[in-house]
Amino acid sequence: MSPKLELVTNFSEVDWVRTSLIEAHTNNSEILSTVIPRGFDSYLSVRHLPKVLNRLVYSEFNFEKLLLILKDYTDTPEACFAAIWNGFGWSFEKNYPYLFQNKKKSFSGRVFRGREFNRFFEIPNRKYYLLKCPLFDTLKIGNSIANNLYCEPANMLWPKDRKWFVANEIDFDVFLIGGVESLISEIEGNPLFVTERFTPGIWSDIYVSED
């Protein structure tokens, strides 16, 4: 079954994210609040890849298991926003042409049905396609090669009720999660995840990938 994806081109409902991240860039472009908004009770990083810690080898990160936890901490799991970076080595518009069928001619003129719009949800140094969709349909977003889908976790993900936020910055080797303390504690206590608490005001270089 195809994912229920809706391309968002009117950002008024979600502009709080862009405003928060741009303000953080204006104050200091090297801190984590340029990637994840301030204002949540607690914050946690979760490692992407297998890691040896105290002689225990943790398996590769399972995004679906994280979503199962996140689902319990929102009242709007059927209405979430997912931002997909436009710089991946695959054609998002080719993979999901139905999102653009009524907009192809309009994009060049930046006008659709009589109003101006932006193709991308932009923050400093990054442009994203922004989608509205059910939470678990984000698992159906990715690159299709030889009829196989290689899923790509969203670079930003949050529910309509703003109960939590997941940032997957392309240069980092972690997911950053903000939410209520009970959510953060549950993820932190799950043995499947390698985690670390952080605050948005610290330097971002601690999570930059070495690859």
Side-chain angles (χ1 to χ4, degrees):
M1 182 180 296
S2 299
K4 297 178 181 178
L5 306 179
E6 174 188 345
L7 184 69
V8 177
T9 57
N10 180 356
F11 305 129
S12 59
E13 184 179 1
V14 299
D15 214 34
W16 67 276
V17 175
R18 182 166 58 179
T19 299
S20 175
L21 301 184
I22 289 175
E23 287 178 352
H25 268 277
T26 300
N27 294 327
N28 190 327
S29 63
E30 303 298 328
I31 57 178
L32 288 176
S33 57
T34 62
V35 177
I36 187 168
R38 295 179 183 268
F40 292 99
D41 292 345
S42 302
Y43 292 85
L44 190 73
S45 68
V46 183
R47 293 285 171 183
H48 286 167
L49 300 175
K51 182 182 180 69
V52 178
L53 187 64
N54 297 329
R55 297 185 179 180
L56 295 176
V57 179
Y58 290 77
S59 61
E60 187 169 353
F61 184 81
N62 188 317
F63 195 62
E64 183 175 5
K65 292 188 182 300
L66 176 61
L67 296 189
L68 286 169
I69 297 175
L70 293 170
K71 180 180 181 294
D72 291 336
Y73 290 87
T74 174
D75 295 323
T76 60
E78 295 304 308
C80 294
F81 295 95
I84 308 297
W85 183 49
N86 77 320
F88 289 118
W90 47 278
S91 175
F92 181 83
E93 295 185 26
K94 182 179 179 180
N95 287 352
Y96 302 96
Y98 64 90
L99 295 176
F100 301 88
Q101 286 176 350
N102 297 324
K103 297 186 173 74
K104 284 292 187 182
K105 294 181 180 179
S106 304
F107 273 131
S108 60
R110 299 174 64 81
V111 175
F112 178 56
R113 292 179 180 172
R115 64 173 176 81
E116 294 185 358
F117 72 98
N118 294 318
R119 178 197 290 257
F120 297 118
F121 185 69
E122 298 185 40
I123 63 172
N125 305 317
R126 295 283 185 270
K127 295 181 179 181
Y128 303 93
Y129 295 105
L130 185 63
L131 308 174
K132 189 174 184 179
C133 60
L135 178 60
F136 288 103
D137 277 7
T138 62
L139 296 172
K140 302 175 184 178
I141 299 172
N143 189 22
S144 182
I145 302 176
N147 295 322
N148 293 315
L149 180 67
Y150 293 84
C151 296
E152 187 68 49
N155 299 105
M156 290 188 280
L157 177 64
W158 70 95
K160 185 175 182 178
D161 61 11
R162 307 182 188 181
K163 293 291 183 67
W164 45 258
F165 192 99
V166 179
N168 179 26
E169 161 58 33
I170 60 171
D171 290 332
F172 289 4
D173 58 7
V174 297
F175 294 93
L176 302 179
I177 304 169
V180 296
E181 174 59 28
S182 54
L183 166 63
I184 298 305
S185 294
E186 182 172 344
I187 299 171
E188 186 178 34
N190 191 311
L192 293 175
F193 304 134
V194 179
T195 65
E196 181 181 35
R197 297 268 184 156
F198 71 91
T199 58
I202 65 174
W203 297 107
S204 59
D205 60 0
I206 65 170
Y207 292 130
V208 173
S209 173
E210 297 179 358
D211 296 338

